Amino acid sequence: MNLTLKIWRQPNPDEPGKMVKYHVKDISPDMSFLEMLDVLNEGLILAGDDPVAFDHDCREGICGMCGMVINGVAHGEQKATTTCQLHMRHFTDGATVTVEPWRAAPFPVIKDLVVDRSAFDRIIQAGGFVSVPAGAAPDAHAVPVPKGDADDAFDAATCIGCGACVAACPNGSASLFTAAKITHLGSLPQGQPERASRAKAMVEQMDLEGFGGCTNTGECTAVCPKGISLDTIARMNADFLKASR
Amino acid sequence: MTAIIERGAATSPIEPVEPPASTSAPSPRRPRKPGFFATSTGQKAVMAVTGAILVTFLIAHMAGNLKAFAGAESFNGYALWLREVGYPLLPKRGLLTLAEIGLVVAIALHIWSAVALYRRAAAARPVRYAARRRSQAGGYVVHIMRWGGLTIALFVVYHLLDLTFGVVNPAGGAATPYARMIEGFAPGRWYVTLFYVVAVVMVGLHLRHGLWSAFQTLGLARWRPQLKLSATLLSVALVLGFLCVPFAIMIGAVQ
Amino acid sequence: MNYREGEPIRDTKAPEGPIEERWEKRKFAARLVNPANKRKLSVIVVGTGLAGGSAAATLGELGYQVTSFCYQDSPRRAHSIAAQGGINAAKNYRGDGDSVYRLFYDTVKGGDFRARESNVYRLAQVSVNIIDQAVAQGVPFAREYGGLLDTRSFGGAQVSRTFYARGQTGQQLLLGAYQALERQIAAGTVTMHARHEMLELIVSDGRARGVVVRDMVTGEIESHLADAVVLATGGYGNVFFLSTNAKGCNTTAIWRAHRKGAMFANPCYTQIHPTCIPVSGEYQSKLTLMSESLRNDGRVWVPQEAGDTRRPADIPEDERDYYLERIYPAFGNLVPRDIASRAAKNVCDEGRGVGPGGLGVYLDFADAIARLGRAAVEEKYGNLFEMYERITGEDPYAQPMRIYPAVHYTMGGLWVDYDLQSTIPGLFVVGEANFSDHGANRLGASALMQGLADGYFVLPATIGDYLAGSRDFGPVDEVSVAEAEIAVRDRIERLLAVDGERTADSFHRELGKLMWDYCGMERTEASLTKALERIPELRAEFWRNVKVSGVNEELNQALERAGRVADFFDLAELMCLDALHRTESCGGHFRAESQDADGEALRDDENFAYVAAWEHTPEGPVLHREHLDYEYVTMSQRSYK
């Protein structure tokens, strides 16, 4: 299949960017979206042009490194799918596809489709952990965890930190990411001692990074490759309000 | 497999935006502790609580409106009762004034939090997407809450001038509340009624999201589907309750 | 390529005595650093996967000044995250007869008697602490209704010792280590440099004292110095271009260290995983693994006749060959990875493979669906089926999956002693980057165990012994730093200056194909000799004809790739040489010349019961043998018939 691509090109954070049009030919429907970009880049390199920079690593939908807004939708329209797992069979021959980086002030563009997501790491630094030094742990069976709690924790813990929630949110909010971690740890007995302080510190850091506030639009969960639920945000709110009393 | 590149085929260049200060200097230590009302979650809580106050008022208001079907005497009596409730233990209009102050504060805080969150959101996305954003969640909320809220705010101003103060009401401020209502929704003033209908529908749509959203904001994660359904039902009930009075006046069922 | 014989090498750190007391003895003998002095000692950790992330966090907790590097944009993305199946631990929570000794025994045997007994025993001992640590961190392992941890049997193990978190165990364990690491970053004990790639090791006065890294955003070349360096940079499976590794995984860090004096052990030991999604075309950039657990219920088959192109549903039962069940009646579809992989290759070589290019075999769930019902199959494997459908566009409920083996893990790596120290003093190597614990074949669910054992428990205990002697280290020689930096700059300039006509990826693809064909699942003297001819030719062409666009002083992914491919050439050569010299078959290394009458791998314990540790010299590789003794587990030929 042949496609027209409109891709955001920006050489570095300080220079202006623009959408640039490319044509790619003979794309196989079995290719992943990133493999299609590989083909484009091979051509660009041989032509002496700058290949399109994009983040990617595992290419199996778990590392969270890849991510682009495809035709206005974070990770493209295929539900519960990262960009690397999106395959070209979902596009029609001759279509025009726009490709843009995540757009959010706390995710400044580094180059082309590559953005700086270190704000997420700093949110985790604020409290997204259980303070237990190596070797200090009691036996794993010392505290049984009800299966329901363990399942809730797991569901929230599947977050891959890709940032699609921020990219899709009309408010540029990182609530889903932050809430997923607060819910994961807050659902387990091991996370209880720091539960209140964690929620407070992480929400404050999230705000400080310049993310928007949540208005419960549900756009985040709709594009989340792991389908993290809006319930996590409610739990974050509950923990935060409790901590603020 | 080949790739052909149209060099320089740029479309609509977009100016870059300065990265915010917070990300340019990554610091693990947080420089300041924002107070509760400075946090996004705190602001949302303010919106939820004030919203709850306003919804309570709306329910009472709608219930009061339905007195119109009981006739002029009953309706005016209700209006009078509102002014004299608690008298002589309390001064006339005492409770009403208190309620009015409460409502004004609630409205002010509701709008304040909306503006604060809007500004936060605008700052968080300085560069817009070139492709038209395609909502993956219905797009309902995005479209309805802010613009709907603005419509409602404008309507409330008119509504007060019309039926409370009677300034823009043909019957004038001195007329009885019932007379103001009948005159206000007279068939000749269909455009006023239309504005009213639009605003009431907006209120309904606003509440359809706002009601369950408030629970979510205040931390109630469970029963989201049930909450959403209840929010919709209550919104529909309110809209119907508010609309049946002017409709009845229009067709002459209430005179 | 010729090599010379060097002096035998010996692990001098493992204590003598009963095996169950050795680790305690070593910990007790290790010198300690007092807490006040720890603050003055610095350690560089490269890589933030299970081994590197947990090591950096733990060293930070102990009070060392840690500097950590990763090439990804966040330490949370290291490829440990993709591990699906689970993590072994000798907890014996099931009471099914598991024990530290049994895990030790299984691992030594599974490694086809090419691993050190002392190391493996320690690994089994420490495994129980890992589970405790992970649970305390909030890793959401699967649980039973009673609230206790669930386990499953994995990879043909006869006890149920594998702890898991659905199909995302690696992710959950890595996030645990990542969170511990971020906690230390917030505490100021660890300084994190993401998007930095190590390009050279700084060796001063015979000791590893730092690394030269490239800031992948600005292109700046930076030198970082410390009292010790830890490499946790993972495996080198990407030498095959197509593997289940992440695209960015590379050998540069350990290869640069090898060139600076660290010996490389058993480079030819590669694990080929039998259940991957087959290649669908030339453009393919990576292969995706599907959990081995699929073989618990799926049946593997191919058509009996070569060249049968009928749709699977049209092939009647009696014209199908369920070859694993036929050849290995005792274990059937659950034979170990290397055996299942080679069997798939054999049937494809006979022309009976299915799918594009005939490189695939069916993994059929029709019987399982008929027996258990679709709902039960969905409950067990739903996410894997979904992943398969997403990638192939085929519905595995309606037609059998196609699978094919793919490179998955490399057992070889830098040689380390019992302390995990390489042959360069002060250079420690942990996780998949070292060679130590898996011998010639790694058992399922053991990689996570080893990475975390190294990072949380072993290295933090042993590195102190080295650092306790820091008074003798002296200042870092400026010349060694300058030389390392210049070497890095020179290489980058050389790569940019070639300005040829082929991309680094196209060379990588060709190298990978060559390695897969000649040094893959089955190796022969002829194929390896051929590879050793072709690799230098291809490398020469690379340095003559590669095209790297752009400049150094920017985010330049073409340059990053070219540098990695350049090192893969050198490593590929050593792998083939190692494979050529080891004329026996063992574990993941199958020499066609060394098989029994039934076509099974035939070990040659008389001549090859050693670790091949390769030293880099300007005159070519030098082989140092580390003899392996088995005091506890009797060497025997594996049999799964």
Side-chain angles (χ1 to χ4, degrees), chain A residues 35 42 54-55 57-60 63 89 111 117 121 125 128 134 139-141 145 157-158 161 181 184, chain C residues 61 71 73-74 77 93 132 138 147 149 171-172 178-179 182 195 247-248 285-286 390-391 503 555 557:
Chain A
E35 284 165 351
E42 291 284 290
F54 60 90
D55 267 333
D57 203 25
C58 78
R59 295 206 178 189
E60 49 187 281
C63 77
R89 65 181 76 94
K111 182 178 179 179
R117 282 171 292 197
D121 290 328
Q125 280 161 30
D139 185 86
H141 269 179
V145 181
T158 54
K181 188 49 63 192
H184 160 206
Chain C
E61 286 161 6
Y71 72 77
D73 74 327
S74 161
R77 312 218 192 270
Y93 280 157
D132 298 342
L149 292 163
Q171 180 197 28
Q172 294 310 319
Y178 158 75
Q179 287 159 203
E182 293 296 334
R195 293 194 195 273
K247 285 298 286 173
S285 63
K286 86 150 268 154
R390 195 165 292 150
I391 292 173
T503 61
L555 192 158
Q557 292 173 325

Side-chain angles (χ1 to χ4, degrees), chain A:
Chain A
M1 63 208 287
N2 303 329
L3 292 171
T4 303
L5 302 170
K6 285 183 184 170
I7 303 180
W8 178 259
R9 300 305 308 265
Q10 183 174 342
N12 57 56
D14 306 320
E15 283 181 56
K18 61 186 179 197
M19 300 297 287
V20 179
K21 199 189 275 184
Y22 301 93
H23 297 287
V24 285
K25 293 207 156 112
D26 303 329
I27 294 299
S28 156
D30 286 329
M31 279 182 188
S32 71
F33 197 83
L34 299 186
E35 284 165 351
M36 184 272 294
L37 289 180
D38 287 343
V39 169
L40 170 69
N41 278 345
E42 291 284 290
L44 285 171
I45 294 173
L46 292 178
D49 271 337
D50 195 20
V52 178
F54 60 90
D55 267 333
H56 65 101
D57 203 25
C58 78
R59 295 206 178 189
E60 49 187 281
I62 193 76
C63 77
M65 188 117 170
C66 67
M68 33 195 101
V69 173
I70 299 164
N71 286 337
V73 182
H75 287 309
E77 261 182 293
Q78 182 85 350
K79 290 280 173 213
T81 303
T82 55
T83 303
C84 62
Q85 294 284 285
L86 176 66
H87 281 69
M88 297 312 294
R89 65 181 76 94
H90 300 293
F91 294 83
T92 47
D93 190 19
T96 298
V97 181
T98 60
V99 188
E100 300 172 78
W102 289 167
R103 292 283 187 210
F107 287 172
V109 172
I110 293 174
K111 182 178 179 179
D112 299 339
L113 304 172
V114 177
V115 298
D116 178 357
R117 282 171 292 197
S118 54
F120 271 10
D121 290 328
R122 290 189 293 274
I123 292 175
I124 298 295
Q125 280 161 30
F129 45 73
V130 175
S131 298
V132 50
D139 185 86
H141 269 179
V143 185
V145 181
K147 187 167 167 28
D149 291 349
D151 287 347
D152 284 354
F154 181 88
D155 287 340
T158 54
C159 167
I160 57 174
C162 62
C165 45
V166 175
C169 177
N171 305 313
S173 171
S175 287
L176 196 66
F177 168 81
T178 310
K181 188 49 63 192
I182 289 171
T183 303
H184 160 206
L185 297 175
S187 303
L188 295 168
Q190 289 82 5
Q192 295 313 309
E194 294 164 292
R195 183 170 172 180
S197 58
R198 174 185 306 120
K200 196 153 189 299
M202 288 179 74
V203 167
E204 284 169 3
Q205 186 65 30
M206 170 181 91
D207 284 349
L208 206 60
E209 295 289 346
F211 292 104
C214 173
T215 53
N216 302 322
T217 66
E219 299 286 343
C220 51
T221 180
V223 299
C224 176
K226 300 296 155 188
I228 306 283
S229 161
L230 275 189
D231 292 356
T232 60
I233 297 183
R235 295 182 70 136
M236 168 176 82
N237 294 337
D239 283 2
F240 178 84
L241 294 175
K242 209 168 171 186
S244 301
R245 273 212 299 256

